[in-house]
């Protein structure tokens, strides 16, 4: 049996994606450090808007995922013409939807902020409004960047996306330094460089995608909407978008619950979240790998290779996650010492990271990487239903029970998160083992 992906192919796909995820997290931390020099009102405004931005970004990423699954399946089926056509449909649909979202955000900015965060101080509100409006202008560029990046990954060419991501983040960080420290632009000093860097990155990938020598490229034919193709893309993208959106909303609710526990617990939760992200960098990269690899196997109609690569990619994810989190836990005390927290917050952060990163080694890959195998097999409604039910019932519901009613605070909230993971593992692993996903592979 000829394997669709050699070990060399997998390495070329996996390593750039992991580096890209690490770069995004590192740059995010640098942005936070720079805006902190402007003042508490600026930091508060940016942090609040970023919660909303993460919601939009997750929806845009889901739409790009829908296109990546469809394109990967066409590549696997050796239908290059259909793959190219699906790429153009994805870019147009994604772009038009995002322009609509941006206009709604710009027009209703104050109402959106009041809806999500209630009454906030006027200086925080003014900073949040400025940051949100500039961010909204950048959404269409981010959508095109995400869509183009997803298409290159579908071809197994994640090296291109890494190079453009490096360029984008250099422009972003460099621009932040100039605009915040040199030009004293305040909140606009972090928003404008993000807008410019996203526009440049989107343009670079779009131009590269027009290369006719690429496996997938944008041809010069006049664009026409293809209802059947768009329906196929949205069949994957809409459930994934709803799932991602509910997940981000759930995170906002959980943060609001923790906010009621006091300053020390808020600080500990924030620091623990940053270390949690480091522990899941490899898993986040493997999420994207799973879409490309399994999508091509489904397109080729080779369900034996679907199972083979699912097991192989999960094994890689589990091994890498275990190594990464073991290192974090071994050096956790000195790492926490770098944050300058008080004794109470430091001790709580230690407990929270031990809970998350310790359990992540056992549960995270099956909770979040395995369902991408199901999505690549078109089994999207099941993953959406389970994810939403688990978020509402366990992560939010049990957070109120453990954290508030039983007065366990942030520790109770994080225990509820682990219960959410356990439920997801049971459902997703059960779905995979039962083989129910097979009947969706021919949709």
């Amino acid at each position: 049996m000829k394997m669709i992906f050699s070990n060399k192919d997998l390495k070329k796909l996996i390593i750039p994606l992991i580096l890209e995820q690490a770069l995004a997290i590192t740059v995010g931390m640098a942005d936070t450090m720079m805006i902190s020099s402007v003042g508490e009102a600026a930091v508060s405004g940016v942090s609040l808007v970023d919660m909303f931005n993460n919601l939009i970004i997750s929806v845009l990423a889901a739409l790009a995922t829908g296109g990546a699954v469809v394109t990967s399946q066409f590549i696997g089926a050796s239908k290059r013409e259909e793959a190219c056509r699906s790429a153009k449909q994805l870019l147009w649909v994604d772009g038009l939807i995002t322009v609509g979202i941006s206009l709604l955000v710009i027009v209703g900015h104050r109402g959106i902020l009041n809806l999500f965060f209630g009454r906030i101080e006027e200086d925080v509100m003014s900073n949040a409004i400025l940051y949100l409006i500039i961010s909204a202008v950048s959404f269409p560029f981010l959508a095109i960047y995400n869509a183009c990046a997803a298409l290159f990954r579908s071809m197994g060419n994640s090296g291109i996306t890494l190079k453009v991501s490096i360029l984008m983040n250099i422009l972003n960080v460099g621009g932040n330094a100039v605009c915040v420290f040199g030009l004293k632009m305040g909140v606009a000093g972090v928003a404008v460089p993000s807008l410019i860097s996203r526009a440049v990155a989107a343009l670079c990938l779009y131009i590269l995608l027009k290369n006719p020598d690429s496996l997938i490229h944008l041809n010069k034919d006049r664009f026409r909407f293809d209802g059947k193709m768009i329906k196929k893309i949205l069949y994957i993208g809409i459930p994934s978008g709803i799932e991602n959106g509910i997940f981000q909303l759930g995170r906002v609710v959980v943060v609001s619950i923790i906010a009621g526990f006091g300053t020390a617990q808020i600080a500990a939760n924030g620091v623990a979240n940053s270390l949690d992200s480091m522990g899941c960098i490899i898993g986040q990269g493997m999420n994207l790998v799973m879409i490309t690899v399994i999508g091509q196997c489904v397109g080729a109609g080779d369900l034996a290779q679907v199972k083979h690569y699912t097991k192989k990619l999960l094994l890689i994810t589990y091994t890498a996650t275990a190594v990464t989190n073991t290192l974090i836990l071994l050096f956790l005390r000195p790492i926490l010492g770098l944050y300058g927290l008080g004794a109470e917050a430091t001790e709580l952060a230690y407990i929270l990271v031990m809970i998350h990163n310790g359990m992540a080694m056992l549960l995270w890959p099956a909770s979040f990487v395995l369902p991408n195998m199901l999505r690549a097999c078109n089994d999207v409604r099941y993953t959406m239903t389970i994810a939403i039910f688990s978020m509402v019932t366990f992560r939010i519901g049990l957070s109120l029970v453990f954290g508030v009613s039983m007065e366990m605070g942030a520790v109770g909230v994080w225990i509820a998160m682990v219960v959410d993971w356990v439920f997801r593992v049971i459902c997703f692993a059960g779905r995979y083992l039962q083989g129910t996903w097979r009947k969706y592979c021919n949709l």
Side-chain angles (χ1 to χ4, degrees):
M1 177 176 63
K2 185 180 184 300
M3 304 307 293
I4 296 175
F5 289 87
S6 66
N7 288 336
K8 185 179 179 181
D9 293 332
L10 290 177
K11 189 183 296 185
K12 285 174 62 178
L13 181 61
I14 291 170
I15 293 175
L17 284 174
I18 292 173
L19 293 175
E20 197 175 330
Q21 297 301 310
L23 182 65
I25 290 174
T26 304
V27 168
M29 293 171 68
D31 284 355
T32 302
M33 291 171 63
M34 279 189 261
I35 193 60
S36 66
S37 67
V38 179
E40 291 186 2
V43 174
S44 299
V46 169
S47 63
L48 290 176
V49 172
D50 274 342
M51 287 186 179
F52 175 77
N53 284 349
N54 288 337
L55 170 62
I56 299 298
I57 290 168
S58 68
V59 173
L60 298 182
L63 289 172
T65 296
V69 168
V70 173
T71 305
S72 294
Q73 290 175 358
F74 281 132
I75 292 173
S78 299
K79 297 179 179 179
R80 186 184 181 192
E81 186 176 333
E82 286 88 339
C84 293
R85 197 164 70 248
S86 71
K88 184 174 284 191
Q89 296 293 321
L90 170 64
L91 288 175
W92 273 91
V93 171
D94 208 2
L96 290 174
I97 289 174
T98 311
V99 167
I101 292 173
S102 296
L103 291 174
L104 288 174
V105 171
I106 291 169
V107 172
H109 55 268
R110 185 175 286 270
I112 289 170
L113 291 171
N114 287 332
L115 174 65
F116 274 82
F117 308 112
R119 296 178 61 85
I120 53 179
E121 296 177 8
E122 191 53 40
D123 55 346
V124 175
M125 176 63 82
S126 62
N127 279 289
I129 287 174
L130 178 60
Y131 187 65
L132 178 59
I133 290 174
I134 298 174
S135 295
V137 175
S138 77
F139 289 162
F141 297 113
L142 184 60
I144 297 302
Y145 168 78
N146 280 339
C148 290
L151 293 170
F152 275 107
R153 291 168 191 142
S154 297
M155 293 183 267
N157 191 353
S158 57
I160 287 288
T161 62
L162 173 61
K163 291 173 184 176
V164 175
S165 177
I166 291 172
L167 171 64
M168 179 172 68
N169 285 297
I170 288 174
L171 290 174
N172 189 17
V173 173
N176 286 349
V178 171
C179 294
V180 172
F181 299 128
L183 301 179
K184 307 294 183 183
M185 291 172 61
V187 165
V190 292
V192 171
S194 293
L195 166 60
I196 294 172
S197 64
R198 288 170 177 176
V200 170
L203 181 61
C204 287
L205 285 183
Y206 180 79
I207 291 173
L208 289 169
L209 205 56
K210 292 176 76 69
N211 181 3
D213 294 330
S214 293
L215 178 60
I216 302 172
H217 63 275
L218 301 175
N219 56 42
K220 297 180 180 179
D221 295 344
R222 184 178 178 182
F223 175 77
R224 290 184 177 86
F225 282 103
D226 184 334
K228 186 177 180 181
M229 188 76 74
I230 292 172
K231 182 179 179 181
K232 193 173 179 66
I233 292 171
L234 295 182
Y235 178 84
I236 307 292
I238 289 178
S240 296
I242 293 171
E243 178 184 335
N244 286 359
I246 295 296
F247 184 80
Q248 291 298 330
L249 283 173
R251 291 189 67 181
V252 172
V253 172
V254 168
V255 169
S256 70
I257 293 172
I258 292 175
F261 300 148
T263 304
Q265 300 218 17
I266 295 172
N269 182 75
V271 169
N273 273 329
S274 67
L275 293 176
D276 299 344
S277 299
M278 297 298 292
C280 297
I281 282 176
I282 294 174
Q284 295 289 0
M286 295 303 291
N287 276 337
L288 301 172
V289 174
M290 188 71 83
I291 290 290
T292 297
V293 173
I294 302 303
Q296 289 199 27
C297 293
V298 170
D302 195 331
L303 300 190
Q305 291 204 50
V306 169
K307 295 185 70 173
H308 169 77
Y309 284 114
T310 297
K311 293 175 183 176
K312 186 167 188 170
L313 294 178
L314 278 177
L315 178 61
I316 294 171
T317 309
Y318 266 107
T319 302
T321 301
V323 171
T324 304
N325 285 290
T326 298
L327 289 172
I328 290 174
L329 296 182
L330 284 175
F331 297 99
L332 184 54
R333 289 289 185 190
I335 291 172
L336 288 175
L338 299 174
Y339 284 88
L341 298 175
E344 180 186 352
T346 298
E347 192 57 34
L348 179 56
Y350 180 86
I351 294 170
L352 296 181
V353 175
M354 291 296 279
I355 291 172
H356 181 284
N357 293 40
M359 297 306 296
M361 290 187 270
L362 299 173
L363 301 172
W364 202 93
S367 298
F368 296 100
V369 179
L370 180 58
N372 269 354
M373 169 265 172
L374 298 175
R375 293 183 187 103
C377 294
N378 302 315
D379 193 3
V380 288
R381 292 181 182 175
Y382 179 81
T383 59
M384 178 188 71
T385 303
I386 293 301
I388 293 174
F389 174 82
S390 190
M391 168 60 76
V392 174
T393 305
F394 300 114
R395 188 165 293 200
I396 296 176
L398 288 185
S399 289
L400 292 170
V401 174
F402 295 156
V404 180
S405 299
M406 298 177 65
E407 299 183 350
M408 295 172 66
V411 172
V413 171
W414 287 51
I415 290 173
M417 175 189 66
V418 173
V419 176
D420 166 40
W421 290 358
V422 171
F423 180 77
R424 288 169 183 258
V425 170
I426 292 170
C427 294
F428 295 141
R431 187 76 162 184
Y432 169 75
L433 294 172
Q434 289 171 356
T436 313
W437 49 272
R438 292 173 179 268
K439 67 182 181 182
Y440 295 93
C441 289
N442 295 321
L443 292 180

